[in-house]
Amino acid sequence: MYGQGILKGLGVTFKHFFATYVEDIRHVGGKLSSNDKFARRQGVDAMGLYTVQYPEEKIATPERFRFLPFLIVNDDDHPTAPGEIWCTSCGICPKVCPPQCIWILRSEDPVTKRPVPKPQSFFIDMDICMNCGYCMEFCPFDAIKMDHDYEQASSDRTQNHIFNMEKLSKPFAYWRQIAPTTAWEEAVERGGWEHIDVVKEKKKAGQPVAQPGAKWDDPYVPPIVEKPEEPAPAAEAAPAGEAIADAPAPAAAEAVSDADAERAARKAKREAALAKKHAREQDGGEG
Ligand code: SF4
Ligand code: SF4
């Protein structure tokens, strides 16, 4: 029958339209944009449509949300190479990037002039990037990932959106915060956070590697590397005021416990999501 498809489509639209009011009544008095409600509205039980008053209200991004690429560097507490960039300047990502918006210059040894596996410069033109994620998929060193940060509006059309290495670099700890649930499953499977090739190379060189079987939300414990002992600095009698200043401030201690609570909440959320996913898979992928 002619027009059947149109009627079906209209039926779906009206169903969502009315479901929005049903959902509003259900949450009357509460903010639909709060993070827990947002998680519900993004889940399989979600009904209807809703808007938020951006930028006053912001909703959490779903874990699978991906926007612009960024480069991973070691955390500041890394024992041997804090802040070291993971990129080896292999040149694969600029080759696979469909709109060709990545530009890399490899470092070279200042004496021998031989290439060093590290970028000297790394630029991405974010106005051209189409957020496809190919660079991340093809990087053999897991050195480039897709970010959640979508607030990149700027009045400048020439420079601000050409990100250099400094602007692109973010610590590994940041990636762990935004990584999808399946990322830690994969990390546990392959026996550590680092790329399998890096683990192999380290093992070959007799260097310690990240602990196999570690959990994604475990605090990152970098392998212990013995450092030569440094002579202790001469003890200076510090004034009483300075000693107090060195002690952790109560606000800082609170921030740490807040961070722990947040991490535990994220872990619980991930585990719940995983359990849900497995249940769906067992039900034959429905839902
Ligand atoms: S996300 Fe796609 S378009 Fe953007 S830099 Fe990576 S490969 Fe290029
Ligand atoms: S593919 Fe990875 S390692 Fe190679 S240049 Fe790109 S970010 Fe660096």
Side-chain angles (χ1 to χ4, degrees):
M1 192 182 90
Y2 286 119
Q4 206 176 355
I6 295 175
L7 288 176
K8 253 191 199 170
L10 282 174
V12 172
T13 308
F14 274 112
K15 199 173 135 200
H16 281 294
F17 178 75
F18 287 114
T20 305
Y21 291 99
V22 173
E23 195 75 346
D24 280 353
I25 292 164
R26 205 180 276 176
H27 294 287
V28 75
K31 264 189 167 294
L32 286 176
S33 55
S34 68
N35 281 353
D36 52 337
K37 300 245 170 63
F38 174 73
R40 187 190 131 67
R41 299 301 295 258
Q42 293 289 305
V44 286
D45 304 326
M47 291 168 68
L49 309 162
Y50 75 108
T51 55
V52 292
Q53 302 300 317
Y54 182 83
E56 287 80 19
E57 289 181 332
K58 283 176 198 165
I59 49 179
T61 46
E63 66 168 34
R64 276 182 274 177
F65 175 75
R66 293 291 172 258
F67 193 47
L68 296 170
F70 70 97
L71 295 169
I72 296 197
V73 298
N74 280 341
D75 292 336
D76 286 343
D77 59 357
H78 194 280
T80 51
E84 174 118 337
I85 194 161
W86 289 18
C87 171
T88 61
S89 188
C90 70
I92 289 176
C93 59
K95 281 203 179 74
V96 299
C97 174
Q100 297 284 288
C101 62
I102 304 177
W103 188 87
I104 305 176
L105 183 63
R106 179 176 273 180
S107 300
E108 61 177 27
D109 188 294
V111 181
T112 61
K113 301 289 173 202
R114 289 180 68 83
V116 173
K118 205 188 269 190
Q120 185 183 317
S121 343
F122 199 120
F123 294 96
I124 301 183
D125 189 334
M126 296 304 185
D127 281 338
I128 297 177
C129 170
M130 58 186 209
N131 323 113
C132 65
Y134 273 21
C135 48
M136 176 186 76
E137 293 293 337
F138 282 89
C139 175
F141 301 95
D142 274 3
I144 191 163
K145 299 287 179 192
M146 301 303 280
D147 207 343
H148 278 186
D149 184 9
Y150 54 85
E151 294 185 304
Q152 303 292 343
S154 150
S155 54
D156 177 86
R157 296 178 64 188
T158 51
Q159 296 294 315
N160 276 2
H161 288 175
I162 299 175
F163 284 18
N164 61 11
M165 213 151 80
E166 193 189 347
K167 214 165 170 190
L168 285 169
S169 300
K170 294 195 176 178
F172 178 49
Y174 172 75
W175 160 241
R176 289 175 63 204
Q177 274 174 25
I178 65 161
T181 310
T182 45
W184 70 260
E185 288 180 305
E186 187 191 320
V188 170
E189 279 294 309
R190 69 189 187 204
W193 311 123
E194 291 160 299
H195 190 266
I196 190 81
D197 292 345
V198 177
V199 172
K200 270 187 205 159
E201 284 302 313
K202 281 192 165 181
K203 277 186 180 164
K204 229 190 271 173
Q207 291 173 357
V209 293
Q211 286 303 307
K215 293 261 169 27
W216 183 252
D217 278 328
D218 286 350
Y220 175 60
V221 184
I224 298 158
V225 176
E226 301 224 339
K227 284 186 186 169
E229 272 188 24
E230 285 173 21
E236 282 176 31
E242 240 175 69
I244 290 166
D246 284 347
E254 251 173 50
V256 169
S257 62
D258 279 357
D260 284 350
E262 208 179 297
R263 201 178 299 129
R266 269 204 313 276
K267 184 177 180 181
K269 205 171 136 195
R270 280 200 183 107
E271 279 171 1
L274 259 184
K276 227 175 187 183
K277 186 179 143 210
H278 289 153
R280 274 207 307 277
E281 280 168 1
Q282 276 174 3
D283 287 350
E286 285 177 19

